């Protein structure tokens, strides 16, 4: 089942399973911007990642000494959300803990994701509420994939990634896939051309010096592209397939990151996790601008 919001510029379709956008249609140019999924490369389109980003070591975490198991990126993208509010240009979807989620994530919570259209922009808002009798810990974020190229007679290497400012880049261990933040490298190369080889070591993970940041994807002539911006995202991933030539690129705003190579697997110690006190609420957002 899906829901649709639209204005004069964009039409956006969102699936209730995983609250995943399935289409971002530019009405003016009659262009589909969102990757449509293909098992040969990557079956997803724009999954929502909750309550973990990336991998847990051995797919396992411990809370109060008890083991819980989750696969990469958590259960949010596999779980049915419900519509709690909708207008022609905005919809809010919600997920509340249940018996199934508590077998993987032992906390009581409510997650709301709101999609709101304003001209050529889609704003994505997250709200997490702690409904437990203890502090809760979590990570979350988006994983939208965009078609590359966006226009006919273009190719993958005609596009460039643009970063808004200086950053630290965090690498993933090639054997475990876990993060190595202690080995992060400072960088100021704010523009690079897409090549397949650029993704040979998995995702590029950026931590900007300024939390008011953006990551964009444009063709060299700047005739088409997308820009994702935020004032509070902690980490940004840029990813595509390698060596398979998937014709898409994901720009991923995250509040969290993979387990680190030195993790003790205690979820309350997890690097870059978010903590909510009893009754507290988390808010985060980003905006996708379509050009």
């Amino acid at each position: 089942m899906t829901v649709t919001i639209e204005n004069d510029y964009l039409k956006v379709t969102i699936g209730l399973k995983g609250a995943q956008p399935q289409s971002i249609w530019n009405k003016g140019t009659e262009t589909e911007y969102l990757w449509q999924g293909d098992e040969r490369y990557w079956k997803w389109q724009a999954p929502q990642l909750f309550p973990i980003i990336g991998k847990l070591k051995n797919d396992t975490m411990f809370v109060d000494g008890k083991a819980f198991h989750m696969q990469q990126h958590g259960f949010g993208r596999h779980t049915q959300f419900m519509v709690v509010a909708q207008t022609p240009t905005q919809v809010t979807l919600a997920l509340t803990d249940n018996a199934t989620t508590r077998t993987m994530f032992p906390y009581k919570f409510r997650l709301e994701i709101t999609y709101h259209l304003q001209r050529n922009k889609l704003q994505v808002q997250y709200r997490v509420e702690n409904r437990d009798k203890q502090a809760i810990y979590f990570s979350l974020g988006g994983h939208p994939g965009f078609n590359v190229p966006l226009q006919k007679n273009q190719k993958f290497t005609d596009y460039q990634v643009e970063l808004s400012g200086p950053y630290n880049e965090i690498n993933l261990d090639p054997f475990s896939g876990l993060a190595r933040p202690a080995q992060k490298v400072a960088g100021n190369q704010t523009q690079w051309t897409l090549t397949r080889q650029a993704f040979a070591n998995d995702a590029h993970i950026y931590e900007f010096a300024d939390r008011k940041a953006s990551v964009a994807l444009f063709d060299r002539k700047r005739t088409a592209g997308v820009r994702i911006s935020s004032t509070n995202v902690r980490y940004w991933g840029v990813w595509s397939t390698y060596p398979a030539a998937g014709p898409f690129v994901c720009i991923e705003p995250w509040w969290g990151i993979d387990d680190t190579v030195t993790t003790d697997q205690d979820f309350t110690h997890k690097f870059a996790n978010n903590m909510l006190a009893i009754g507290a609420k988390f808010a985060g957002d980003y905006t996708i601008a379509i050009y």
Side-chain angles (χ1 to χ4, degrees):
M1 185 176 177
T2 62
V3 292
T4 299
I5 56 175
E6 62 182 303
N7 61 12
D8 292 339
Y9 300 86
L10 301 173
K11 181 178 180 180
V12 176
T13 303
I14 302 137
L16 296 190
K17 184 177 181 180
Q20 175 180 222
Q22 297 180 355
S23 173
I24 300 177
W25 179 258
N26 184 332
K27 291 183 174 182
T29 61
E30 297 187 334
T31 302
E32 178 59 66
Y33 272 63
L34 200 65
W35 167 245
Q36 291 300 287
D38 187 327
E39 293 275 1
R40 294 176 297 171
Y41 306 112
W42 186 57
K43 69 178 182 179
W44 302 92
Q45 295 171 268
Q48 298 293 357
L49 316 182
F50 179 86
I52 60 171
I53 300 291
K55 296 180 179 180
L56 295 173
K57 183 178 180 179
N58 299 326
D59 294 333
T60 302
M61 66 184 196
F62 292 87
V63 178
D64 295 330
K66 182 179 179 181
F68 295 87
H69 306 286
M70 266 189 289
Q71 294 183 341
Q72 185 177 29
H73 295 320
F75 56 74
R77 59 181 175 167
H78 302 286
T79 307
Q80 198 77 6
F81 282 64
M82 62 179 180
V83 177
V84 295
Q86 185 174 8
T87 70
T89 59
Q90 179 172 309
V91 65
T92 298
L93 308 177
L95 171 64
T96 303
D97 67 278
N98 55 53
T100 300
T101 68
R102 290 192 294 274
T103 65
M104 299 175 279
F105 181 69
Y107 297 119
K108 296 179 180 179
F109 68 90
R110 180 179 175 88
L111 166 64
E112 291 189 353
I113 304 176
T114 297
Y115 296 96
H116 183 205
L117 285 173
Q118 293 180 306
R119 297 178 64 86
N120 66 319
K121 297 178 180 179
L122 174 64
Q123 185 180 46
V124 183
Q125 301 171 329
Y126 297 104
R127 302 291 183 267
V128 181
E129 179 185 356
N130 181 355
R131 293 187 167 184
D132 214 315
K133 296 180 180 179
Q134 61 181 320
I136 70 171
Y137 298 80
F138 65 93
S139 297
L140 85 167
H143 199 318
F146 300 97
N147 288 321
V148 179
L150 286 164
Q151 297 180 339
K152 295 179 180 178
N153 303 317
Q154 291 182 331
K155 55 186 183 294
F156 191 79
T157 52
D158 289 334
Y159 282 71
Q160 296 179 326
V161 173
E162 299 179 3
L163 310 174
S164 60
Y167 54 84
N168 290 315
E169 185 165 2
I170 297 173
N171 297 313
L172 298 177
D173 179 77
F175 302 103
S176 66
L178 302 182
R180 300 187 293 191
Q183 300 176 33
K184 60 187 176 184
V185 178
N188 57 15
Q189 181 184 351
T190 57
Q191 189 175 85
W192 51 273
T193 298
L194 289 182
T195 65
R196 193 54 55 188
Q197 187 65 31
F199 300 102
N201 295 322
D202 209 329
H204 295 261
I205 302 174
Y206 299 107
E207 177 187 29
F208 287 100
D210 186 349
R211 290 283 285 273
K212 184 179 181 181
S214 68
V215 177
L217 182 66
F218 282 97
D219 69 291
R220 287 194 183 91
K221 296 181 179 179
R222 301 186 74 80
T223 57
V226 299
R227 182 182 301 279
I228 299 187
S229 58
S230 178
T231 61
N232 52 44
V233 165
R234 296 181 66 183
Y235 300 95
W236 298 78
V238 179
W239 175 79
S240 189
T241 53
Y242 176 88
F248 68 92
V249 170
C250 294
I251 301 175
E252 309 173 40
W254 296 337
W255 289 264
I257 200 171
D258 302 74
D259 261 356
T260 67
V261 292
T262 58
T263 180
D264 66 4
Q265 295 182 268
D266 185 323
F267 200 60
T268 66
H269 301 163
K270 181 173 166 53
F271 180 79
N273 239 359
N274 303 279
M275 187 275 284
L276 278 181
I278 298 171
K281 297 180 181 180
F282 167 94
D285 63 86
Y286 62 88
T287 299
I288 302 172
I290 299 298
Y291 298 99

